[in-house]
Amino acid sequence: QVQLVESGGGVVQPGGSLKVSCAASGFSFSAYGMHWVRQAPGKGLEWVAFIRLDGGIAFYADSVKGRFTISRDNSKNTMYLQMNSLKAEDTAVYYCAKDFLRSYNIFDVWGQGTMVTVSS
Amino acid sequence: QSVLTQPPSVSETPGQRVTISCSGGSSNIGSNTVNWYQQVPGATPKLLIYSNNHRPSGVPDRFSGSKSGTSASLAISGLQSEDEADYYCGTWDDSLNAALFGGGTKLTVL
């Protein structure tokens, strides 16, 4: 069955770095764009970044541009989010999501999420 | 403050119909299709409606979507207790080159 599993979350100090991963299974990973979406505790959904199926194009939310980098390894069916210069406001559950219909903005499969806490 | 505006909360009794609005602008809803997501408390979001008015397989036809100009709506008929959840609209913004979500609407089934 189609599945996305995030990992790598944890507690990091402000200004620190963390890399989270998303392992995909049950579908042809290399045929789909992928997204990261986050949700701060008790808050709404916030789109973070998108990467095209071949990794050739990436888009970022203004709130993370210049600090976060999305990447993928199609040979490993895995997507990554490298987060640098982390701030308290980056504290959230980070979900990976599969793009639908090459839309860049329809998320049809979601992982369970990984929690990132930025705190001293 | 989200670019897409939704009411923070709506409520209705079982069996009735409720609508949730999503208001945007010319560079987002006005230029692109709208999608809706349901997030039951403690669960991950679920795609409910895509491309304005299409339902993924498995979504009951009690859920419907529409779009007009720079606004969109989600309608839920025959309300059931299990519909109690947070609902988010989403689209693409051509000016920001970014995907957007509305702030979310909490539906309470009284």
Side-chain angles (χ1 to χ4, degrees):
Chain A
Q1 98 243 29
V2 177
Q3 193 173 14
L4 299 171
V5 178
E6 301 91 339
S7 61
V11 180
V12 59
Q13 291 189 337
S17 298
L18 196 65
K19 187 173 185 177
V20 293
S21 302
C22 169
S25 60
F27 66 100
S28 181
F29 179 73
S30 60
Y32 293 91
M34 296 291 295
H35 300 264
W36 287 100
V37 177
R38 68 185 181 184
Q39 187 169 33
K43 303 297 184 183
L45 301 174
E46 180 188 15
W47 174 81
V48 173
F50 164 81
I51 187 166
R52 199 174 66 180
L53 55 90
D54 61 356
I57 285 179
F59 296 111
Y60 298 90
D62 284 346
S63 58
V64 306
K65 206 171 290 184
R67 300 187 299 123
F68 289 13
T69 303
I70 189 171
S71 63
R72 63 191 295 161
D73 186 339
N74 286 345
S75 69
K76 296 181 178 180
N77 290 344
T78 302
M79 176 179 66
Y80 307 96
L81 186 67
Q82 175 68 49
M83 301 180 286
N84 298 330
S85 303
L86 282 160
K87 307 174 183 179
E89 50 264 41
D90 295 319
T91 294
V93 174
Y94 284 73
Y95 296 104
C96 63
K98 173 181 162 288
D99 189 63
F100 185 54
L101 297 180
R102 298 195 177 187
S103 65
Y104 287 19
N105 76 114
I106 305 174
F107 320 103
D108 68 328
V109 180
W110 298 67
Q112 289 301 306
T114 187
M115 183 70 204
V116 173
T117 302
V118 184
S119 174
S120 54
Chain B
Q1 191 81 359
S2 302
V3 175
L4 304 181
T5 302
Q6 297 180 235
S9 63
V10 296
S11 60
E12 188 50 90
T13 52
Q16 296 303 304
R17 182 178 186 270
V18 69
T19 61
I20 297 172
S21 62
C22 176
S23 177
S26 58
S27 63
N28 43 72
I29 294 179
S31 306
N32 297 285
T33 59
V34 177
N35 317 296
W36 291 91
Y37 302 86
Q38 177 194 59
Q39 187 176 30
V40 174
T44 60
K46 169 189 171 184
L47 179 63
L48 200 62
I49 297 287
Y50 68 93
S51 299
N52 299 334
N53 54 15
H54 293 81
R55 285 184 307 277
S57 173
V59 174
D61 59 7
R62 302 187 296 105
F63 295 89
S64 62
S66 64
K67 181 190 122 171
S68 178
T70 59
S71 294
S73 291
L74 172 71
I76 310 172
S77 59
L79 268 176
Q80 300 177 5
S81 58
E82 55 261 41
D83 297 333
E84 197 160 276
D86 293 321
Y87 293 85
Y88 296 89
C89 61
T91 189
W92 182 261
D93 190 293
D94 292 336
S95 296
L96 298 173
N97 259 347
L100 300 176
F101 286 105
T105 299
K106 181 177 180 60
L107 169 63
T108 300
V109 181
L110 300 169

